[in-house]
Amino acid sequence: MPPEPTSYVAPPSTDAAALIASLAQALSAAAEAPVSERWTWWDTFDGRLHNAGLVLASAPEAAGGHVLSVRPSGGVAPLATVVVAELPRLASDLPPGRVRDRLAPALEMRALLPIVSVDATTHLFVQRNDDDKIVTRVAVDELHSVDGTDLGLWVRLLPVRGYEKAASRARDVLVAAGVTPASEDVVEIVATAAGDGTRTPGAYSSKLSIPIDPAQSAASAFLTVLLVLLDAIEANFAGTVDDVDSEFLHDLRVAVRRSRSALKHAGGVLPDELLACFRPELAWLQEITGPTRDLDVQLLGLPEEAAALAPDAAAELEPFAVLLAKRQRDEQSAMAETLRSDRARALLQDWRETIESLASTATDPADADAGEWGAWPSGATRPIAALAAKRVARRYRRLLQLGGEITEQTPAEALHDLRKQGKELRYLFELFGSLFPASALGPVIKDLKELQDNLGEFQDTEVQRHALRGFGEELVAAGAPVGTILTLAQLVERLALRQHAARSEFAARFARFSSPASRKRFEVLLGDGSAQ
């Protein structure tokens, strides 16, 4: 049974003074002196609090700080509140307590950003019984944007535990006054009504969902995918340059990798000259963002790695953490300067103009050419469903072949090559997943993910081991304490053990991936035995 509503909105034409007077009479309670303050609602760029069903708001505190309150989406009563001197950027900036405990699991490494700010004038009604005990509260909030635009009236019912009948009567009063239960959280209503470019909670997601018509021409489908990916690159560009949080760079790099993969698979579909022009440029964009991302990963993982060692490991590793943070800042600064360059700006501008100009003719490439890029290749007119299935099957067969050739004596580079093949197959599923039945795609992706997790663990530990050795040499040269060097050596040893375990597990993982049952799931996915 759904909970009784506590959040209400008034029709747009409602006069605030008339509603307040009506409620005062119906509730038999005069409104207290109005209180005006500025509220700001917060979330991450990708709406993690929204997705977790939480709303974070801040308001000024009398002593000069800020009151942070967390409530459930659609509700009005806070789950936890805390007063802070400075507004937090990351979960780690919050003081230990209930607010941090509520937010940290959802926020992880992402920064809090303001969604929208409003100026609120609150009129509070307090109902009391014959014993002068408070039995319910009703708040009417007049909301305006910071530039004075009217954003409507929010009415909050604040029940008191043990007085459910009083709350029920108050609900009847609100309905009679013409206000209705809010169909969505007030922050979403206000962010939409503000109309000033503020973000709607949950509007951005790094997860791809690209609907494609199976009969769509291959050229048109690839351009549709590339445009979505370019949108993701641009959406994360400013946050990457400004180092708002590490996930902006992560998501930008994922979108670039997916774009490069799409171009790799677009041979025979998009003009060769176009591929020759933009594939190197996207590779350059991937290259210049790599060092900073590697350092981000090391910084994010260091606390967990240290926690697995002795209790004093974190203190011993402090000189390393300082060096790592400084190197990250230096690489971030250099990367940001490059991303602000004319080359980067021209790349994104030219890429968008190219995709958008070709999209208009790619619907039916047989009736047009590709402008400055010449004629469309013969594969441009093929239905995307048939082409995607063929390329998925080819990549799958290649993965089985390479994996089957790996033995205990095979060099590590072969496992890295196999991982890259697996990535290409995964990207095909991500880009064109809407062409396959979801019920069949899920099990196949699960099989692939289990193999990829193993290969990723092997490769990542290899890269980190080499990186830590390099940092260790720097620390020795700088005269770091012996305890730091010894603890860093323990980290290297742990990575070596993890890599060895991943290598030992590979044969079993690949056997499951290439098993008759897994192959059958792949055949069911394609529906025509293309995996044979």
Side-chain angles (χ1 to χ4, degrees), residues 75-304:
V76 297
L79 299 167
T81 61
V82 67
V83 176
V84 295
E86 300 289 339
L87 289 168
R89 190 176 74 88
L90 301 170
S92 57
D93 297 330
L94 289 163
R98 293 174 60 202
V99 170
R100 182 172 178 174
D101 292 344
R102 290 277 185 179
L103 297 181
L107 295 178
E108 297 184 304
M109 73 296 289
R110 296 237 64 163
L112 287 165
L113 301 172
I115 296 172
V116 64
S117 294
V118 299
D119 288 327
T121 300
T122 300
H123 308 266
L124 182 65
F125 299 89
V126 179
Q127 281 192 306
R128 300 176 182 270
N129 62 12
D130 293 339
D131 296 328
D132 203 35
K133 292 182 178 180
I134 297 175
V135 295
T136 192
R137 297 181 179 89
V138 173
V140 177
D141 305 303
E142 298 181 70
L143 304 180
H144 293 84
S145 66
V146 293
D147 64 3
T149 303
D150 182 7
L151 299 177
L153 299 174
W154 184 30
V155 182
R156 294 174 286 148
L157 173 61
L158 305 164
V160 177
R161 183 175 298 179
Y163 294 96
E164 286 75 17
K165 290 184 178 179
S168 180
R169 288 193 294 269
R171 288 188 180 91
D172 293 339
V173 168
L174 294 178
V175 171
V179 299
T180 57
S183 59
E184 54 187 343
D185 194 90
V186 67
V187 64
E188 299 171 45
I189 297 173
V190 168
T192 301
D196 58 357
T198 51
R199 293 179 298 105
T200 302
Y204 169 82
S205 174
S206 61
K207 295 181 179 179
L208 283 183
S209 178
I210 310 176
I212 298 174
D213 184 345
Q216 190 173 351
S217 73
S220 176
F222 269 95
L223 291 170
T224 297
V225 165
L226 288 168
L227 188 57
V228 170
L229 295 174
L230 178 55
D231 287 342
I233 293 171
E234 293 177 338
N236 287 283
F237 198 86
T240 296
V241 171
D242 296 338
D243 198 20
V244 175
D245 65 44
S246 60
E247 287 300 283
F248 281 97
L249 174 57
H250 171 264
D251 286 0
L252 182 145
R253 283 176 55 79
V254 168
V256 172
R257 279 201 304 270
R258 287 168 170 167
S259 298
R260 293 179 65 199
S261 180
L263 289 184
K264 183 181 295 186
H265 293 295
V269 174
L270 298 182
D272 289 342
E273 189 176 345
L274 181 150
L275 301 179
C277 176
F278 286 103
R279 285 182 64 179
E281 288 300 288
L282 289 174
W284 169 75
L285 188 56
Q286 191 81 15
E287 179 183 355
I288 64 173
T289 56
T292 305
R293 179 57 190 169
D294 290 343
L295 291 163
D296 283 346
V297 171
Q298 289 177 311
L299 278 170
L300 290 169
L302 186 58
E304 183 178 351

Side-chain angles (χ1 to χ4, degrees), residues 456-470:
E457 173 75 354
F458 180 83
Q459 178 64 19
D460 292 347
T461 50
E462 172 80 4
V463 171
Q464 291 176 43
R465 281 175 60 203
H466 287 294
L468 287 184
R469 286 197 184 100

